Amino acid sequence: MEVLRCRSKLPLLFLLAACLLLPSIQATDIKYCSKKAKYVVKVEDVEISPYPVKTGVPTTFTIKASTDQVISEGHLTLSVSYFGVKVHSETDDICEKTECPVSIGKFVLSHTQTLPAITPPGSYTLKLRMDDAKKHELTCISFNFNIGIGSEQPSVEDS
């Protein structure tokens, strides 16, 4: 009888183990800044790693995208808002975040940021704009993520 009870709990135990062993990467939903714009760069996916986001630990945002034109130089402008108020912004050279020139087809941008220990919990929005050397907008996206309180697990917010 005891063996039968253990066997009935095995599937639950395997499910729990699988949940604990899942990779610490989170994909998130993205929104384009303009629905009418015809962006040269199409963003396919954004991954946040490690997930959950933790203060004081480097977090990497990986953007998988494609382009139908060669990009030899340009800038990425990143801004972060907390409950709608801009709390951080920076501008980087595209070639510091991916290999240049970017060929026609798929490519990956990567940005790593360490959040200060004093980062307040709550809902954040990250906006990323990519411009070429002539300041033509190549793409513009945004996505939301949450940072939890203390030991709570932060989560990516589906929009």
Side-chain angles (χ1 to χ4, degrees):
M1 189 66 158
E2 195 64 36
V3 173
L4 186 56
R5 278 190 202 156
C6 288
R7 281 191 182 160
S8 67
K9 294 180 183 177
L10 278 177
L12 183 59
L13 181 62
F14 285 126
L15 180 62
L16 178 62
C19 288
L20 293 174
L21 296 175
L22 286 175
S24 62
I25 296 175
Q26 177 67 40
T28 185
D29 291 335
I30 62 163
K31 291 182 184 179
Y32 283 96
C33 300
S34 170
K35 292 180 182 180
K36 295 179 182 180
K38 300 212 186 254
Y39 296 116
V40 171
V41 173
K42 309 285 191 274
V43 177
E44 298 166 8
D45 192 26
V46 174
E47 293 179 349
I48 303 169
S49 177
Y51 186 80
V53 175
K54 296 178 183 174
T55 59
V57 176
T59 300
T60 301
F61 297 87
T62 303
I63 294 102
K64 296 177 182 178
S66 62
T67 181
D68 57 7
Q69 77 179 40
V70 174
I71 304 168
S72 56
E73 58 183 313
H75 291 93
L76 297 172
T77 303
L78 177 118
S79 62
V80 179
S81 299
Y82 178 61
F83 289 108
V85 177
K86 188 187 285 187
V87 294
H88 176 76
S89 65
E90 64 184 82
T91 300
D92 297 301
D93 188 300
I94 287 175
C95 298
E96 292 175 5
K97 303 300 178 183
T98 194
E99 192 173 318
C100 283
V102 177
S103 300
I104 294 172
K106 295 184 180 206
F107 68 99
V108 175
L109 292 167
S110 184
H111 178 78
T112 300
Q113 187 80 38
T114 301
L115 301 175
I118 60 167
T119 303
S123 180
Y124 289 80
T125 300
L126 188 143
K127 179 179 176 183
L128 179 91
R129 178 183 162 128
M130 182 186 300
D131 296 316
D132 66 13
K134 296 178 182 176
K135 300 193 184 214
H136 296 117
E137 186 176 58
L138 300 174
T139 198
C140 181
I141 63 164
S142 67
F143 57 89
N144 299 322
F145 65 98
N146 289 329
I147 298 176
I149 299 171
S151 63
E152 283 185 8
Q153 303 289 322
S155 64
V156 171
E157 208 175 82
D158 292 335
S159 311

